[in-house]
């Protein structure tokens, strides 16, 4: 029974984020590329080179990147170590309450969501490309690049109709129902 109350206290000390070298936040009239990652997920690790290249080519004032770590086992220390090793140049944050993960119905890492901040709609959700057939099975040649295709269209000012692909990766551990209702990592806002 005591464990039931200690778990929320543990998470209070794990809240926060790691800033990347060049942080660009979501703009009200722009787009955000949410990258759901797992610091222990081999597939997430292997995609870091592609993710950095896409950031360098497509990040702008109107297109922000944000890395989210939704697994309950993620911690600031682990994410900091991940970022020291892979050097992602944008903000990385913990999604311990799995709010963004739940909102977008993300199930695995890595999974990407491209979100239109002005219209408040998802443009694209799924895999970065088709390199992975399943966990542990790679293609020898990547033949599609869904995320880059969407980013090219946005950079060229074209509208992108919504579409979705199935992401291949490491399953995210869902939080216990008790934890989903705990208010943490959000400052209380009180009226005067």
């Amino acid at each position: 029974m005591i464990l039931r109350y200690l778990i929320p206290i543990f998470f209070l000390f794990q809240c926060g984020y790691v800033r990347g070298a060049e942080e660009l936040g979501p703009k009200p009239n722009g787009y955000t590329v949410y990258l759901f990652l797992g610091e222990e997920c081999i597939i997430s690790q292997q995609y870091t080179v592609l993710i950095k290249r896409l950031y360098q080519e497509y990040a702008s004032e109107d297109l922000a990147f944000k890395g989210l770590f939704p697994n309950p086992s993620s911690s600031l220390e682990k994410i900091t170590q991940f970022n020291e090793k892979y050097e992602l140049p944008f903000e990385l944050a913990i999604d311990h309450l799995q709010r963004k993960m739940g909102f977008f119905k993300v199930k695995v890492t890595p999974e990407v969501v491209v979100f239109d901040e002005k219209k408040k709609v998802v443009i694209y959700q799924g895999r970065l490309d088709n390199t992975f057939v399943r966990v542990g099975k790679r293609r020898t040649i990547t033949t599609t690049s869904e995320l880059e295709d969407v980013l090219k269209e946005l950079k060229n000012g074209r509208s992108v109709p919504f579409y979705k692909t199935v992401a291949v990766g490491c399953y995210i551990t869902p939080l216990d129902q008790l934890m989903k209702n705990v208010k943490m990592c959000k400052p209380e806002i009180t009226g005067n």
Side-chain angles (χ1 to χ4, degrees):
M1 187 68 163
I2 291 176
L3 185 60
R4 181 179 191 171
Y5 298 103
L6 288 178
I7 292 173
I9 292 169
F10 169 76
F11 281 104
L12 285 173
F13 295 103
Q14 298 296 315
C15 300
Y17 61 93
V18 176
R19 289 191 190 273
E22 306 169 32
E23 182 180 323
L24 289 172
K27 303 297 180 201
N29 293 319
Y31 303 93
T32 303
V33 177
Y34 291 103
L35 294 150
F36 290 86
L37 302 166
E39 71 278 5
E40 296 172 1
C41 176
I42 301 289
I43 298 174
S44 288
Q45 294 167 7
Q46 291 182 1
Y47 269 120
T48 56
V49 172
L50 172 64
I51 291 168
K52 283 195 290 191
R53 183 182 64 76
L54 293 176
Y55 175 84
Q56 291 164 352
E57 289 183 30
Y58 297 101
S60 69
E61 206 172 285
D62 295 322
L63 183 72
F65 283 62
K66 184 169 186 173
L68 296 173
F69 292 77
N71 269 308
S73 63
S74 293
S75 68
L76 284 177
E77 182 182 349
K78 288 179 183 179
I79 294 170
T80 300
Q81 289 170 354
F82 178 89
N83 203 35
E84 286 171 358
K85 183 172 184 177
Y86 298 106
E87 299 176 331
L88 295 176
F90 48 84
E91 179 184 346
L92 302 178
I94 299 174
D95 186 20
H96 268 309
L97 294 180
Q98 299 179 339
R99 287 190 176 117
K100 290 282 187 197
M101 181 195 103
F103 180 75
F104 294 124
K105 296 178 176 49
V106 170
K107 302 281 187 232
V108 301
T109 62
E111 185 167 343
V112 65
V113 174
V114 181
F115 190 72
D116 183 327
E117 297 292 340
K118 184 177 182 180
K119 295 179 183 175
K120 301 295 181 205
V121 296
V122 174
I123 295 172
Y124 172 71
Q125 182 168 352
R127 63 190 182 194
L128 284 80
D129 61 27
N130 73 344
T131 298
F132 290 89
V133 178
R134 63 178 185 276
V135 175
K137 175 81 170 143
R138 291 178 65 117
R139 285 183 166 79
T140 52
I141 298 174
T142 301
T143 59
T144 66
S145 54
E146 291 85 357
L147 177 57
E148 186 164 16
D149 293 344
V150 169
L151 298 179
K152 279 180 188 174
E153 293 298 306
L154 294 176
K155 185 176 184 175
N156 291 324
R158 296 187 198 107
S159 65
V160 179
F162 169 76
Y163 74 102
K164 187 172 184 171
T165 59
V166 176
V168 174
C170 308
Y171 283 102
I172 299 166
T173 305
L175 285 175
D176 178 321
Q177 281 304 107
L178 172 69
M179 291 300 299
K180 290 193 182 233
N181 296 319
V182 175
K183 292 181 182 178
M184 320 179 221
C185 303
K186 284 179 73 177
E188 294 264 327
I189 299 173
T190 58
N192 291 344

